[in-house]
Amino acid sequence: MITPATIVQRGSGKGRDPWLIRRWLAARGLNMANIAVMARTRKCVVSDTIRGVRNHHRVLKQLDDLGCPTALLYPQNRAA
């Protein structure tokens, strides 16, 4: 389970590639509107989170629970 503290430890959304995340969602028959409903938030919050402008904890948790690769959500933490 991801907690807000864990999200802070994993880093910001800087460097997040929104097109890869959208492609990952589309391959599962999902879109940002679906994630917004699941995370009980607005579509613009999901969009901002996917683009790396925000790090909304419910959106990140929902994506993580759906199995979105950690490397897509937290690109700054990849080993160089």
Side-chain angles (χ1 to χ4, degrees):
M1 181 170 114
I2 292 182
T3 64
T6 305
I7 291 168
V8 170
Q9 292 171 355
R10 286 187 173 178
S12 71
K14 196 172 192 177
R16 197 176 285 153
D17 186 343
W19 296 108
L20 288 177
I21 296 172
R22 288 178 66 151
R23 191 176 311 143
W24 183 87
L25 286 171
R28 282 140 191 86
L30 298 169
N31 59 33
M32 289 191 274
N34 300 130
I35 301 303
V37 170
M38 292 177 201
R40 299 178 326 273
T41 191
R42 295 171 294 154
K43 288 185 285 186
C44 64
V45 172
V46 175
S47 176
D48 286 351
T49 300
I50 288 176
R51 289 185 300 121
V53 177
R54 297 177 71 152
N55 279 317
H56 193 271
H57 68 281
R58 287 195 313 253
V59 173
L60 290 171
K61 181 180 182 331
Q62 188 61 52
L63 290 168
D64 190 49
D65 289 350
L66 289 170
C68 187
T70 304
L72 293 180
L73 297 177
Y74 309 102
Q76 294 293 325
N77 290 345
R78 287 189 289 209

